[in-house]
């Protein structure tokens, strides 16, 4: 086991019955709240009314900001922060998916520091790592995907420069999060699939590269992956089943709360580096969709570069019961079976299917190296150069 430090300050409430406990707690953070929502789903579905009533019942003053985009735009975040400042809010309540939660963290930081623009604070920009604090962030996640309800990360997009980059601080970790599966029965099929893909990626990343030092992290991660592989097809058939939705939701929180890597060697989140560069180039591309496209190609690239074959083979045994003695053959069989699962669940595509042409691969790979590698190769348990990234992108074109 390698050394580690974990701090999860978020008070988590799970389930409908925890509504009162959650809303009663909010007085700890103030009485003047900025609610941040996305394109309006939570309004149309009536969820926002429920939350507003619960807050008003507790004497809260409410300012609403509506209009955070999927892959949240820096410029929209800046506008929301200005409104929060003008209304002198005490804390920020994010009510939406990962995009809304990430935007809310950035808004909370800008208000606290009395700053106007978030983009200069993201990785690769001049004010990176200089933010001093944030207002308390509270979340009600409406997707099962990012785990932003417990993470210190906010991933920000900037269409003006075709950029997408994280800004992360311990003080971005939400103070409290209410996970209510009842708000998940309306998630559209494609968004449900994209979310499941994202959950898997959060455990895949370090499972593949981090080695064998932490059997507890391995068994924990396999449990999450087994749950997602089994549950997504069930949710597709029965989308309003709250018990199934709850299983995906809790899997998503568990998949990126740091337990999934604890005790392993730490390496970069390579698929995330590549995907963020892709959805920075095309802000219409959902994060989980981009990851699903990269999976098979990246796994094959790892094999060809003599990396992680033992871990891919282990996944084959644990997730699909593959029993093949030869390690490389077992690893290849895992990739084949996982490709089949992706295909069965509408997640097997090519980059050209999501409007990312081969002519853009060079520019996107260069962005990944410059921003996520600081100009150096990415650390994929060994170097991953620009040409390697382009090779992975090209391999996705075989996925038909
Ligand atoms: O905008 P609204 O109207 O809310 O609609 C959203 C949006 O169109 C809709 N939706 C969400 N919940 C719904 C719903 N529709 C019906 N019923 C519901 N209950 O779904 C669409 C997608 O929402 P979005 O928030 O963009 O999806 P997701 O949760 O996958 O978040 C993606 C963002 O999170 C970042 C991604 O890069 C991307 O920008 N990530 C954040 C991480 C973190 N903070 O730690 C880690 C992740 O790896 C990821 O990078
Ligand atoms: Zn992710």
């Amino acid at each position: 086991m390698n050394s580690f430090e974990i701090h999860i300050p978020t008070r988590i409430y799970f389930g409908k019955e925890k509504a009162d406990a959650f809303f009663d707690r909010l007085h700890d953070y103030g009485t003047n709240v900025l609610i941040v929502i996305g394109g309006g789903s939570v309004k149309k579905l009536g969820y926002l009314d429920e939350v507003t009533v619960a807050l008003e019942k507790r004497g809260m003053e409410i300012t609403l900001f509506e209009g955070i985009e999927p892959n949240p735009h820096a410029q929209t975040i800046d506008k929301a922060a200005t409104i929060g400042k003008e209304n002198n809010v005490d804390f920020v309540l994010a009510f939406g998916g990962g995009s809304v939660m990430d935007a809310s963290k950035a808004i909370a930081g800008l208000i606290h520091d009395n700053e106007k623009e978030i983009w200069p604070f993201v990785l690769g920009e001049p004010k990176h790592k200089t933010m001093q604090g944030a207002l308390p962030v509270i979340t009600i996640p409406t997707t099962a995907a990012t785990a932003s309800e417990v993470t210190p990360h906010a991933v920000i997009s900037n269409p003006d420069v075709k950029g997408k980059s994280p800004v992360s601080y311990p003080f971005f970790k939400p103070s409290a999060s209410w996970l209510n599966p009842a708000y998940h029965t309306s998630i559209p099929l494609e968004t449900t699939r994209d979310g499941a893909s994202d959950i898997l990626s959060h455990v895949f990343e370090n499972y593949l590269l981090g080695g064998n030092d932490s059997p507890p992290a391995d068994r924990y991660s396999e449990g999450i992956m087994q749950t997602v592989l089994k549950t997504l097809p069930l949710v597709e058939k029965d989308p309003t089943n709250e018990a199934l939705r709850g299983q995906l939701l809790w899997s998503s929180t568990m998949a990126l709360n740091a337990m999934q890597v604890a005790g392993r060697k730490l390496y970069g989140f390579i698929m995330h580096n590549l995907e963020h560069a892709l959805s920075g180039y095309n802000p219409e591309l959902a994060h989980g969709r981009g990851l699903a496209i990269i999976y098979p190609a990246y796994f094959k690239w790892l094999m060809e570069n003599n990396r992680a074959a033992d871990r891919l083979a282990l996944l084959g045994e644990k997730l699909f019961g593959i029993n093949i003695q030869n390690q490389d053959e077992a690893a290849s069989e895992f990739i084949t079976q996982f490709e089949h699962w992706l295909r069965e669940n509408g997640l097997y595509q090519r980059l050209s299917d999501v409007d990312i042409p081969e002519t853009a691969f060079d520019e996107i790979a260069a962005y990944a190296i410059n921003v996520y590698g600081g100009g150096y190769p990415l650390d994929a348990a060994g170097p991953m150069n620009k040409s390697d990234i382009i090779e992975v992108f090209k391999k996705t074109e075989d996925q038909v």
Side-chain angles (χ1 to χ4, degrees), residues 149-302:
E149 62 272 16
V150 289
T151 73
H153 314 298
V155 184
I156 311 300
S157 290
N158 184 347
D160 290 353
V161 295
K162 285 189 183 295
K164 179 166 176 175
S165 189
V167 50
S168 305
Y169 292 99
F171 49 75
F172 276 179
K173 289 181 187 173
S175 302
S177 292
W178 179 33
L179 280 50
N180 180 10
Y183 292 152
H184 286 230
T185 54
S186 55
I187 305 173
L189 176 63
E190 291 305 298
T191 309
T192 304
R193 289 170 162 168
D194 298 343
S197 163
D198 193 22
I199 302 170
L200 288 173
S201 75
H202 297 153
V203 274
F204 269 142
E205 291 270 24
N206 188 259
Y207 190 103
L208 291 176
L209 300 183
N212 297 315
D213 295 337
S214 181
D218 288 354
R219 303 294 89 76
Y220 176 95
S221 300
E222 289 152 8
I224 294 168
M225 291 188 266
Q226 285 162 349
T227 305
V228 173
L229 291 179
K230 191 174 162 204
T231 309
L232 176 64
L234 300 176
V235 170
E236 290 183 8
K237 289 197 199 87
D238 190 6
T240 57
N241 184 319
E242 286 182 28
L244 292 173
R245 288 287 186 184
Q247 289 174 36
L248 281 186
L249 174 53
W250 185 233
S251 297
S252 70
T253 309
M254 289 170 71
L256 197 57
N257 65 2
M259 298 288 181
Q260 84 285 0
V261 298
R264 292 207 202 101
K265 291 183 189 65
L266 296 181
Y267 288 102
F269 258 43
I270 301 299
M271 290 188 283
H272 277 71
N273 293 163
L274 269 51
E275 195 297 310
H276 286 161
L278 289 167
S279 51
Y281 177 85
N282 174 9
E284 300 296 314
L285 173 62
H287 171 61
R289 178 77 30 176
L291 288 164
I293 294 172
I294 293 168
Y295 284 137
Y298 173 65
F299 294 170
K300 286 172 193 168
W301 178 85
L302 284 174

Side-chain angles (χ1 to χ4, degrees), residues 200 204 229 296 299-300 312 315-324 329-345 348:
L200 288 173
F204 269 142
L229 291 179
F299 294 170
K300 286 172 193 168
L312 288 162
L315 276 180
E317 180 199 325
K318 300 290 183 183
L319 303 186
F320 296 116
I322 295 167
N323 181 13
I324 298 177
E329 284 174 23
S332 296
E333 180 59 18
F334 163 69
I335 297 171
T336 303
Q337 296 218 18
F338 187 60
E339 283 182 308
H340 178 73
W341 184 89
L342 289 171
R343 201 180 276 114
E344 290 289 296
N345 290 284
Y348 195 65

